[in-house]
């Protein structure tokens, strides 16, 4: 099969080396299963992507697109008999337009590289997942990634104006490139196909170009407020109190003691891990108003039961704390297998969800550390198990499913930003009403009648 497929891909290298294929066949969700692909291709242009998709469609070979492989749901994992389409070499910033505050990029551009490039023009691209130093814009688009700043500035979908994607079905033969969306600030011509493709996890086509909205760069460094709490639930109460007071910091992150210790043991940033939980907040309101807002936030932390809460006057300390937040997942991963959750609940329900996570951990006898974009209710419990302990692994999976059920019961969702992928397929069926799920499956059948693009993921027809 690989030899005949190679003949259909003139000028493209079909990778069949087993070790290379293994490295390309899975993302960072180590608990998600991965299939055995027939090969992989590293595309550089939309035309090459179109050629690959057309050849695979002719042979009914599934196509799974991937970027940097930093996903945490198995969304980019290979399927048996499929082809991996690696887009990491489509990494050009095609245009930066300061007058209209937009950028046009290929999907393999790394998030932080885009930030640095637009900063030279006095502009800012706000979406900032913790994986921003490594994750690609294409992967961020696939999962509608959020990040630390999304509390105030929104998620990836809020910044995608237009897309080019290689598709099939009603748009034309498989391999057809279609543009959707616009370059203007506003536009309501027809259905929102951009919004549909963002967050679809590569199940409707392969995105090859993205037009992004930018913002003016911030004129001053944000103020950092830190609160230390004697329990993770007390920190959750402070988050709910911030919501009640109508405060909207740029960032409001939670980091528990286990995560903080894991980062410190790994990176030696000079951080203390005496509190059970820290809340890290940033305020970017300029001038005296920002000063007052930061003081108010510190008082809210104190009134909610913080051991201490204060504005950080040490820029290096503030940077170290936020570095610890970004490094929390890989630091925990070093200690053993980690099953990562990504539930999101209404902000007022954060304390209840945190209490439920603690109860679930005790009930199943598993260790759960927690990090969170706490300000928008997006919690990432990290379920840790000893390597090779199958009983612990089963208990962790049971805890994982129970956390999903509890999040739904509190009015939340099974995934806030990591995507459904493979790990949350049962969860999405639990969350969605059958008519809504049927509508999604109908969209998949209509836009991808061959079930060629990332089959078995998300709604999994």
């Amino acid at each position: 099969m690989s030899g005949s497929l190679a003949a259909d891909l003139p000028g493209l290298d079909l990778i069949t080396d087993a070790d290379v294929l293994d490295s390309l066949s899975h993302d960072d969700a180590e608990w998600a299963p991965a299939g055995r692909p027939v090969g992989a291709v590293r595309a550089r242009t939309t035309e090459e992507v179109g050629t690959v998709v057309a050849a695979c469609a002719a042979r009914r070979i599934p196509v799974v697109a991937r970027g940097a492989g930093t996903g945490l749901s198995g969304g980019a994992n290979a399927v048996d008999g499929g082809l991996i389409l690696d887009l990491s070499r489509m990494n050009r910033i095609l245009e930066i337009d300061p007058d209209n505050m937009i950028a046009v990029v290929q999907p393999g551009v790394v998030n932080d590289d885009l930030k640095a490039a637009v900063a030279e023009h006095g502009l800012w691209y706000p979406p900032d997942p913790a994986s921003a130093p490594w994750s690609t814009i294409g992967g961020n688009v696939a999962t509608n990634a959020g990040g630390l700043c999304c509390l105030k500035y929104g998620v990836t979908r809020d910044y995608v104006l237009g897309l080019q994607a290689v598709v099939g079905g009603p748009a034309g033969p498989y391999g057809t490139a279609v543009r959707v969306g616009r370059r203007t600030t506003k536009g309501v011509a027809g259905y929102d196909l951009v919004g549909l493709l963002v967050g679809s996890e590569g199940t409707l086509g392969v995105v090859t170009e993205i037009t992004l909205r930018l913002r003016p760069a911030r004129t001053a460094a944000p103020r950092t407020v830190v609160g230390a709490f004697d329990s993770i639930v007390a920190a959750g109460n402070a988050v709910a109190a911030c919501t009640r007071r109508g405060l909207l910091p740029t960032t409001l992150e939670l980091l528990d003691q286990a995560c903080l210790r894991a980062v410190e043991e790994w990176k030696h940033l000079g951080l203390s891990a005496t509190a059970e939980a820290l809340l890290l907040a940033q305020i970017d309101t300029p001038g005296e108003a920002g000063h007052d807002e930061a003081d108010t936030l510190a008082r809210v932390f104190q009134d909610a039961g913080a051991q201490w809460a204060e504005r950080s006057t040490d820029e290096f300390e503030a940077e170290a704390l936020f570095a610890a937040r970004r490094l929390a997942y890989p630091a925990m991963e070093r200690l053993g297998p980690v099953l990562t959750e990504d539930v999101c609940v209404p902000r007022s329900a954060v304390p209840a969800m945190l209490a439920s996570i603690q109860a679930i951990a005790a009930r199943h006898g598993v260790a759960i550390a927690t990090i969170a974009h706490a300000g928008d209710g997006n919690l990432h419990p990290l379920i840790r198990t000893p390597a090779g302990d199958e009983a612990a692994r089963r208990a962790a999976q049971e805890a994982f499913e129970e956390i999903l059920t509890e999040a739904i019961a509190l009015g939340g969702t099974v995934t806030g930003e990591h995507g459904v992928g493979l790990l949350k397929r049962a969860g999405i069926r639990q969350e969605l009403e059958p008519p809504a799920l049927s509508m999604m499956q109908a969209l998949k059948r209509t836009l991808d009648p061959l079930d060629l693009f990332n089959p078995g993921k998300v709604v999994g027809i």
Side-chain angles (χ1 to χ4, degrees):
M1 173 66 75
S2 62
S4 55
L5 179 60
D8 292 340
L9 302 173
L12 298 176
D13 291 329
L14 179 63
I15 300 166
T16 58
D17 179 85
D19 291 337
V20 177
L21 287 181
D22 180 67
S23 70
L24 295 174
S25 293
H26 56 85
D27 62 16
D28 276 348
E30 59 184 305
W31 287 53
R36 294 175 62 87
V38 297
V41 173
R42 291 189 172 106
R44 295 181 182 274
T45 66
T46 297
E47 291 71 25
E48 290 182 357
V49 172
T51 297
V52 170
V53 169
C56 287
R59 298 179 179 277
R60 301 299 191 268
I61 296 173
V63 175
V64 178
R66 63 167 279 134
T70 61
L72 292 169
S73 68
N77 283 15
V79 298
D80 288 336
L83 182 126
I84 297 293
L85 186 52
D86 181 356
L87 304 178
S88 61
R89 293 185 180 177
M90 295 182 67
N91 57 4
R92 294 171 55 218
I93 297 174
L94 302 174
E95 179 186 359
I96 297 175
D97 180 352
D99 291 339
N100 293 300
M101 291 195 294
I102 61 173
V104 182
V105 304
Q106 291 183 312
V109 172
V110 171
N111 185 298
D112 271 4
D113 290 346
L114 174 63
K115 282 180 166 56
V118 302
E120 294 179 4
H121 299 268
L123 298 170
W124 178 40
Y125 178 65
D128 63 337
S131 60
W134 316 284
S135 64
T136 61
I137 298 298
N140 295 170
V141 168
T143 60
N144 189 28
L148 278 64
C149 287
C150 63
L151 171 59
K152 184 172 182 178
Y153 290 105
V155 296
T156 299
R157 181 178 282 119
D158 298 312
Y159 293 87
V160 180
L161 294 172
L163 295 170
Q164 183 181 57
V166 171
V167 297
Y174 276 85
T176 298
V178 60
R179 291 186 180 274
V180 296
R182 61 193 191 279
R183 291 171 63 97
T184 54
T185 302
K186 297 169 64 178
V188 291
Y191 297 133
D192 183 9
L193 297 180
V194 171
L196 178 62
L197 288 169
V198 177
S200 64
E201 301 183 46
T203 60
L204 303 178
V206 180
V207 172
T208 60
E209 188 180 295
I210 306 115
T211 301
L212 297 166
R213 182 199 316 271
L214 305 174
R215 295 179 64 95
R218 293 182 285 189
T219 57
R223 297 169 172 86
T224 298
V225 180
V226 183
F229 297 83
D230 59 9
S231 77
I232 196 168
V233 175
N237 288 329
V239 172
C242 290
T243 300
R244 286 194 299 271
R245 289 289 300 271
L247 296 173
L248 189 62
T250 306
T251 300
L252 182 53
E253 297 290 305
L254 182 146
L255 189 67
D256 79 355
Q257 186 184 70
C259 292
L260 197 61
R261 283 181 174 170
V263 172
E264 181 59 24
E265 289 170 3
W266 179 28
K267 293 295 185 179
H268 307 293
L269 300 177
L271 301 172
S272 171
T274 57
E276 287 298 317
L278 292 182
L279 284 181
L280 313 176
Q282 287 190 326
I283 302 290
D284 67 355
T285 305
E288 193 64 26
H291 176 89
D292 294 343
E293 192 175 343
D295 285 345
T296 299
L297 191 62
R299 286 196 299 273
V300 169
F301 286 0
Q302 290 170 336
D303 293 344
Q307 296 173 354
W308 55 263
E310 59 188 38
R311 288 176 50 190
S312 175
T313 57
D314 185 333
E315 183 179 342
F316 294 103
E317 176 190 52
E319 289 180 359
L321 287 167
F322 279 94
R325 168 60 186 88
R326 291 185 181 278
L327 291 168
Y329 176 75
M332 296 300 298
E333 200 174 29
R334 291 177 66 252
L335 303 179
V338 176
L339 181 55
T340 307
E341 270 287 12
D342 170 41
V343 293
C344 192
V345 297
R347 285 176 283 186
S348 60
V350 167
M353 189 68 226
L354 289 170
S356 292
I357 291 168
Q358 289 189 320
I360 290 168
R363 190 156 50 246
H364 292 277
V366 295
I368 302 182
T370 300
I371 53 178
H373 307 305
D376 55 16
N378 193 183
L379 311 180
H380 297 315
L382 309 177
I383 309 173
R384 297 171 292 149
T385 61
D389 188 333
E390 286 303 314
R393 191 177 179 92
R394 288 193 296 272
Q397 188 64 51
E398 292 170 0
F400 180 89
E401 300 299 336
E402 193 169 336
I403 289 172
L404 299 183
T405 299
E406 183 63 20
I408 294 169
L410 290 172
T413 177
V414 299
T415 175
E417 60 184 2
H418 292 172
V420 174
L422 292 170
L423 292 180
K424 299 293 181 71
R425 287 180 299 176
I428 194 174
R429 284 164 172 75
Q430 184 180 355
E431 177 181 333
L432 297 179
E433 294 181 355
L437 184 61
S438 294
M439 290 174 68
M440 292 184 185
Q441 291 172 333
L443 281 168
K444 169 67 170 171
R445 285 191 294 268
T446 300
L447 298 179
D448 180 18
L450 297 182
D451 196 20
L452 193 81
F453 298 117
N454 213 8
K457 313 291 176 59
V458 192
V459 296
I461 62 172

